[in-house]
Amino acid sequence: MVHPLDALGNSVRRDILRKLRRGPLSVGELADRLPVSRPAVSRHLRLLDAAGLVESRSEGTRSVYAVRLAGFASVRAYVDEF
């Protein structure tokens, strides 16, 4: 399990989450919008999924990812300590 704060420490993963705020996207759609390769996007999404920050569903042969809001609860709790 990856802690959400650790996952958020990477700028590409933060950019992925920003793109997903607008709605679900496939790996290919994300790769088209970012300056990294499709395999790199897949690796970042696996880590975000392990941290509970995104969820995926299958649409035919594609995996479509969306933000998982409940995954941010521990981040909110940490920030609220201050």
Side-chain angles (χ1 to χ4, degrees):
M1 180 100 181
V2 176
H3 193 281
L5 285 173
D6 293 328
L8 293 171
N10 181 281
S11 64
V12 173
R13 289 191 286 271
R14 291 190 305 270
D15 287 342
I16 288 171
L17 290 168
R18 282 186 199 100
K19 303 290 184 218
L20 292 175
R21 270 195 315 211
R22 297 181 186 111
L25 294 168
S26 70
V27 175
E29 290 168 327
L30 284 164
D32 290 344
R33 292 168 168 83
L34 295 165
V36 294
S37 68
R38 188 177 293 213
V41 169
S42 292
R43 286 191 297 274
H44 286 296
L45 285 166
R46 278 194 298 275
L47 199 140
L48 288 167
D49 185 40
L53 298 174
V54 298
E55 56 194 9
S56 66
R57 68 177 189 277
S58 294
E59 286 186 0
T61 59
R62 301 180 330 150
S63 291
V64 177
Y65 288 83
V67 171
R68 184 175 172 271
L69 293 177
F72 288 88
S74 64
V75 175
R76 279 189 219 104
Y78 177 77
V79 172
D80 287 347
E81 291 177 9
F82 297 92

